[in-house]
Amino acid sequence: MVVKVHGSVRAACPQRVLACLLEKDVEFEIFHVDLDAGEHKRPEFLLRQPFGQIPAVEDGDLKLFESRAIIRYYAAKYVDRGPNLLGNSLEERAVVDQWLEVEAHNFNDLVKTLVFQIVILPRMGEHGDLALAQKCEQQLEKVFDIYEQHLSKSSYLAGDSFTLADLSHLPAIRYLVNDAGMGHLVSERKHVNAWWEDISNRSAWKKLMELSKY
Amino acid sequence: MEDWVISFTLTADYYINTVPLPFTFTNTSAGFLASFITVFAIVFFTVSLSLKLSNLIEMALKLYGAAMSTCTSRVLTCLHEKEADFEFISVNLFAGEHKESPFLAKNPFGQIPVLEDGDLTLFESRAISAYVAEKFKESGYDLIRYQNVKEGAQVKVWMEVESQQYHPAISPIVFQFFVAPLQGKSPEQAIIDEHLEKLGKVLDIYEDKLSRTKYLAGDFYSLADLFHLSYTYYFMKTPWANQINDRPHVKAWWEDISSRPAFLKVASAMNFGEKQN
C-alpha cells in the first residue's frame, strides 16, 4: 500500500516524514498542499489535520498527523527493513526518544523562530525582528555547545548508529545552514560539523533534496 | 550470578557431600538422586532468595525531580498508573541544584526530571513516561495500547499534539502566573492574553474531538490524556479556568482524567504558589 503524504516537499515537517520513509524504503506519494493559497486552512484539509498543519498521512484506513508521531510509527512498523532507526532494546529506544524530545523542546522552537524572522517574513515582503532572531541565535549557540560535548563522546545523538533522533534534526539544520546564513553554528563545532556532514550525506536525505529541487 | 552466591552454594554443596547427613546414601543410586535433589533445592532456594534480596536492595528506578513541578508530576503519574516501584530523590530547584554538577552529568540541559534505571539515565519527561509505560506495559493500566497497533498509533499522534499544540499555548500562561512572581516580576498580561487566544483555538479542536471520542486517542484513557494533567492542574488555579469549564466535553474529560487515583496521589503535592500559613 502506498503511503499518501499530504504536504509540501520543501517544508520542514513533511521532510521529516519523507526522510524516514526514504530511509525505510517505503513507497509514498506526495499530495502537494498549497500553503500560499491557504489550502491547509480549508475545511477539506482540516478533516485530515484539525490544527491546519502539514504533514498529514493516509495509509489505507489509518490516518496520522504530527511528523514525530508518524516517524515513530513507521520506524517501528518497518523495524526489520533498512537501517534500524530505533535502537535494539527498550533502553536504546528510550534514549532515541529522549533526543527526539530534545529536538522538539530544546532545539526546534529556537530554529523555527529564527528562520521565521530572518527567512520567511522577508520572503513575504515584511521586516523580521532582528533582535528576536539574535536572541534565538545566542540560545542556539548554547544548545549546540551541549550537542558538541555530547557528540565528542558518541558518533550520533543516541549512540553509535544513525537513528530517528538524528533524522529529526535534518530539515531544521538544512534551513539554518542553507537559508538562514547560520552555518557557523555547525561549522564552528568540530563534532557537530562532522555529524552534520555525515547525516546530510546519507542517500535518503540526498534523494529528498533532489525531490525538493532547491 | 553474584560471586557470593556461587561461593555459598559451593560451600553448601561441599558440606552436604562430606558431612554424613541422615538422608545421604551415596553408595546407592537412590541415595545419589536424593543427594542431588537436595543440593539442587538448596541452590535454587538460595539463588532465588538472593535475587529477591538484590531487587529490594537496589530499588531499580530512581526519579530525580521536584514533587510540585509539572514535568516531574507527569512522570510520577505515569509511574503510579503502572504501579511501578521507585525511589524519589528531591532536587533543590531554589538552590539551583539542577544547573550545577553533579546534576548536569545526568542532564546537560539542566532540567528535571531525570530517571535512573540501572545503567540507563534518561531525561525529558515525555521520553521517561513513554519508557515507563512500555517497560511496565503488562502491569497496572495499559497507557499505550500495546496490543493494538492502530490504537497505539493514535496515542502517539495525540501525545505529539500535547507536545506541539497544547503545551506551547498553556505553559507560558502557567509560567507567567506562578513562576514570574517568584522571580520578582509581575505576570505579563500581553503574553498571557496572546496565549489564552492560542489555547482557546486548541481547545475548540479538543471540544470537537472529545464530542466524538471519550478521550483524545479514542474511547480509552491513554498516555496522551495523561500528558495534559500537570499543566492543566495548575492552569485550573488561575483566573482563566473558564477556558476548560466553558467547553462541556473538555470539562467532562478534564474532570474524568483529573480524578484518577494515580493523579490524585501526585496532585496532593502540587502546591506551587500556595500561600504557606
Side-chain angles (χ1 to χ4, degrees), chain B residues 95-109:
Chain B
E97 188 186 337
H98 53 315
K99 301 290 181 192
E100 291 163 15
S101 300
F103 189 83
L104 288 176
K106 299 184 198 296
N107 183 354
F109 294 91

Side-chain angles (χ1 to χ4, degrees), chain A residues 50-51 53 61-66 68-69 72-73 90-91 94-95 97-98 101-102 104-106 146, chain B residues 108-109 111 120-124 126-127 130-131 134-135 150 153-154 156-157 160-161 163-165 205:
Chain A
F51 298 91
Q53 293 175 341
D61 59 1
L62 182 66
K63 291 189 166 79
L64 300 173
F65 54 92
E66 288 298 338
R68 293 171 191 84
R72 282 180 173 109
Y73 172 75
L90 171 62
E91 291 75 18
V95 176
D97 221 21
Q98 171 191 278
E101 290 298 318
V102 166
H105 290 281
N106 291 27
I146 296 173
Chain B
F109 294 91
Q111 294 170 325
L120 177 69
T121 300
L122 278 183
F123 51 90
E124 289 298 328
R126 293 174 187 82
Y131 169 72
E134 172 79 41
K135 178 168 180 163
K150 287 191 173 155
Q154 295 305 330
K156 286 186 171 73
V157 166
E160 281 299 315
V161 169
S163 173
Q164 295 293 312
Q165 313 290 346
I205 295 166

Side-chain angles (χ1 to χ4, degrees), chain A:
Chain A
M1 181 126 280
V2 175
V3 176
K4 295 178 182 167
V5 181
H6 296 261
S8 165
V9 74
R10 287 193 191 176
C13 297
Q15 285 187 339
R16 185 175 284 119
V17 170
L18 294 168
C20 177
L21 295 175
L22 284 161
E23 288 282 353
K24 301 308 274 181
D25 206 12
V26 175
E27 234 189 304
F28 60 84
E29 192 182 345
I30 300 171
F31 288 76
H32 181 72
V33 175
D34 191 346
L35 301 177
D36 292 330
E39 190 184 335
H40 52 314
K41 305 293 179 188
R42 287 197 211 127
E44 315 87 72
F45 188 81
L46 292 175
L47 288 172
R48 293 186 185 287
Q49 215 288 17
F51 298 91
Q53 293 175 341
I54 51 170
V57 153
E58 205 181 322
D59 187 352
D61 59 1
L62 182 66
K63 291 189 166 79
L64 300 173
F65 54 92
E66 288 298 338
S67 61
R68 293 171 191 84
I70 296 167
I71 62 176
R72 282 180 173 109
Y73 172 75
Y74 282 104
K77 180 174 181 180
Y78 295 107
V79 68
D80 295 324
R81 189 198 286 192
N84 182 351
L85 300 177
L86 279 179
N88 292 309
S89 63
L90 171 62
E91 291 75 18
E92 285 181 18
R93 283 200 301 276
V95 176
V96 173
D97 221 21
Q98 171 191 278
W99 286 96
L100 262 168
E101 290 298 318
V102 166
E103 183 273 323
H105 290 281
N106 291 27
F107 181 85
N108 190 55
D109 284 341
L110 294 171
V111 177
K112 219 164 53 166
T113 306
L114 196 158
V115 167
F116 190 73
Q117 300 303 326
I118 297 186
V119 180
I120 309 295
L121 283 176
R123 270 187 202 162
M124 287 160 51
E126 295 181 38
H127 292 292
D129 183 343
L130 293 178
L132 178 58
Q134 208 175 37
K135 196 171 152 205
C136 287
E137 189 188 346
Q138 282 161 1
Q139 286 175 286
L140 269 171
E141 296 266 14
K142 291 186 187 150
V143 172
F144 271 115
D145 283 342
I146 296 173
Y147 279 44
E148 179 64 14
Q149 252 276 58
H150 182 72
L151 290 166
S152 71
K153 291 176 269 168
S154 143
S155 313
Y156 298 91
L157 288 172
D160 293 323
S161 317
F162 177 80
T163 66
L164 286 187
D166 310 286
L167 184 151
S168 199
H169 287 78
L170 282 161
I173 300 183
R174 192 212 64 80
Y175 263 108
L176 282 180
V177 170
N178 290 12
D179 293 350
M182 290 283 146
H184 69 93
L185 290 169
V186 171
S187 60
E188 282 170 2
R189 291 168 173 86
K190 178 175 161 204
H191 297 97
V192 170
N193 192 57
W195 168 73
W196 168 247
E197 289 296 315
D198 181 310
I199 66 175
S200 58
N201 273 298
R202 290 180 69 88
S203 54
W205 182 249
K206 293 214 285 225
K207 225 178 275 181
L208 179 57
M209 293 298 96
E210 274 170 49
L211 278 172
S212 314
K213 299 192 187 86
Y214 282 112

Side-chain angles (χ1 to χ4, degrees), chain B residues 6 18 20 28 55 71 73 77 105 107 109 123 137 150 170 176 178 187 204 208-209 220 261 270 272:
Chain B
I6 297 169
T18 53
T28 67
N55 273 343
C71 296
S73 301
T77 308
N107 183 354
F109 294 91
F123 51 90
K137 61 190 180 204
K150 287 191 173 155
I170 202 171
Q176 287 301 320
F178 287 98
D204 284 341
D208 176 66
K209 181 65 164 80
F220 45 83
M270 292 174 72
F272 199 86

